[in-house]
Amino acid sequence: MSNPARAVDAPGSPTPVLSVSPVVLPAPDRAVDLQVRVTAPLTGSELPVILLSHGLGFSNNLSSLNGYAPLANIWAAHGFAVIQPTHLDSRTLNPDPDTSEAAAHWRTRAEDMKRVLDRLDEIEAAVPQLPGRLDRSRVAVAGHSMGGHTASLLLGARLTDPHDGTEVDLVEPRITAGVLLAPPGRGGDALTEFTVENYPFFLTTDFSTMTAPVLVVAGDRDDSAFLTVAGPAWHADPYRLSPGPKSLLTLHDAEHGLGGVSGYDVAETTDENPERVAAVARLACAYLRSELYPGDAAWQAARDALASGPDPLGRIESK
């Protein structure tokens, strides 16, 4: 087994990173070729991989490979290779609402991530200084908002296709852990009429089959009132309605942006808090270190540090 210290540095010792985009993966069976951004440390070998799925939103570029730099940069600085695709529902692709499915390509998003894993050799070859440095045996997925839904499907959650009534299983066995940031929760009577009409696939979300290790991050002021009538607790459903092992990080006073994870100095962030964003990034990093490298104490140390402060940013529970 490789030495974790070679791949993932301690949280206190960030290294310089490189970021390359777009890396274009030809995809004749897709509406457009798949474009990804790769962010990785300049040094180190056997780098574990995080696939990062963007959310939806009103900005023109954040919901694409151009967003989520506050997370990608920190994760890469601590030893991960972060790969961010631009999904077909990104505003950068000018999706046609009359022809796209609902407003979000729930199935094609997950297929994008599988395509990335299928073609890691091409991605490595396209990025200077990256060839031979990725550890394909250690892959995690992270996603914010709609990206959290994408990640949950790859980690084992299921739903019923609203078009043909079939149960959909998109679990990806090459992904062994995940982080869901402000993810959508249960369906049924927890949804607003708007959600039922525009995102009918949310109606049947089933987290009982999501057995992989997952960290769910939720803000205690993220009411997402246009999506759910269940209040902020809705975003913790993937934790509460799935089997262990799972952890839930509840952030005090955090709203849907969790302090601004989607980009630096984003005007639409309603709860801007750089300290909160840094905490989310570092806690997620520690969680994935310990899941991808059994025996690594980073997650326990991070939990202890969060709980020991005089005014903690949040609280963690596990099962």
Side-chain angles (χ1 to χ4, degrees):
M1 180 177 292
S2 61
N3 181 0
R6 293 182 60 194
V8 185
D9 294 324
S13 55
T15 61
V17 305
L18 62 86
S19 186
V20 177
S21 72
V23 174
V24 181
L25 300 178
D29 58 336
R30 195 174 181 266
V32 296
D33 290 340
L34 178 60
Q35 298 189 7
V36 305
R37 175 184 294 274
V38 180
T39 308
L42 282 174
T43 60
S45 61
E46 299 178 352
L47 304 177
V49 176
I50 300 177
L51 306 182
L52 176 54
S53 179
H54 64 73
L56 302 176
F58 300 110
S59 293
N60 289 321
N61 283 283
L62 291 178
S63 294
S64 74
L65 57 76
N66 294 318
Y68 295 88
L71 299 180
N73 288 342
I74 289 180
W75 291 342
H78 292 96
F80 290 89
V82 183
I83 304 177
Q84 301 171 250
T86 294
H87 297 303
L88 288 173
D89 49 23
S90 170
R91 282 177 174 255
T92 63
L93 301 179
N94 298 313
D96 183 349
D98 294 327
T99 59
S100 63
E101 180 183 80
H105 291 253
W106 57 268
R107 187 190 294 272
T108 61
R109 282 170 150 266
E111 290 170 347
D112 287 345
M113 299 307 215
K114 293 173 180 284
R115 193 186 301 261
V116 167
L117 292 178
D118 290 341
R119 300 172 71 175
L120 284 178
D121 288 348
E122 292 176 52
I123 292 172
E124 273 193 333
V127 178
Q129 303 181 48
L130 192 62
R133 297 175 61 206
L134 298 183
D135 185 348
R136 288 157 175 74
S137 70
R138 293 185 171 93
V139 178
V141 65
H144 174 241
S145 193
M146 184 62 195
H149 182 264
T150 302
S152 73
L153 293 177
L154 293 164
L155 292 161
R158 297 184 183 178
L159 54 77
T160 300
D161 189 321
H163 296 294
D164 60 20
T166 59
E167 184 182 48
V168 178
D169 180 2
L170 293 170
V171 67
E172 175 49 69
R174 290 171 291 185
I175 297 172
T176 56
V179 177
L180 310 183
L181 303 163
R186 69 188 186 280
D189 60 5
L191 304 181
T192 63
E193 291 184 9
F194 170 86
T195 306
V196 173
E197 293 176 3
N198 292 277
Y199 304 94
F201 53 89
F202 280 154
L203 273 167
T204 54
T205 303
D206 179 7
F207 296 110
S208 69
T209 53
M210 188 172 69
T211 57
V214 174
L215 170 64
V216 177
V217 182
D220 64 10
R221 294 182 60 186
D222 180 8
D223 58 15
S224 297
F226 73 103
L227 291 175
T228 181
V229 297
W234 186 62
H235 295 287
D237 283 346
Y239 170 78
R240 303 194 187 284
L241 301 178
S242 65
K246 299 289 186 297
S247 290
L248 172 65
L249 167 60
T250 303
L251 296 168
H252 303 319
D253 299 322
E255 299 177 19
H256 197 61
L258 305 178
V261 295
S262 65
Y264 295 113
D265 299 324
V266 177
E268 67 192 48
T269 299
T270 56
D271 64 332
E272 187 173 22
N273 186 321
E275 183 184 7
R276 180 180 297 141
V277 174
V280 169
R282 290 179 180 275
L283 284 161
C285 180
Y287 177 82
L288 293 177
R289 279 188 64 184
S290 292
E291 289 299 334
L292 296 177
Y293 298 94
D296 190 295
W299 176 232
Q300 187 59 55
R303 295 185 62 159
D304 293 344
L306 180 69
S308 65
D311 187 20
L313 292 170
R315 65 183 185 277
I316 295 172
E317 56 191 280
S318 297
K319 64 180 182 180

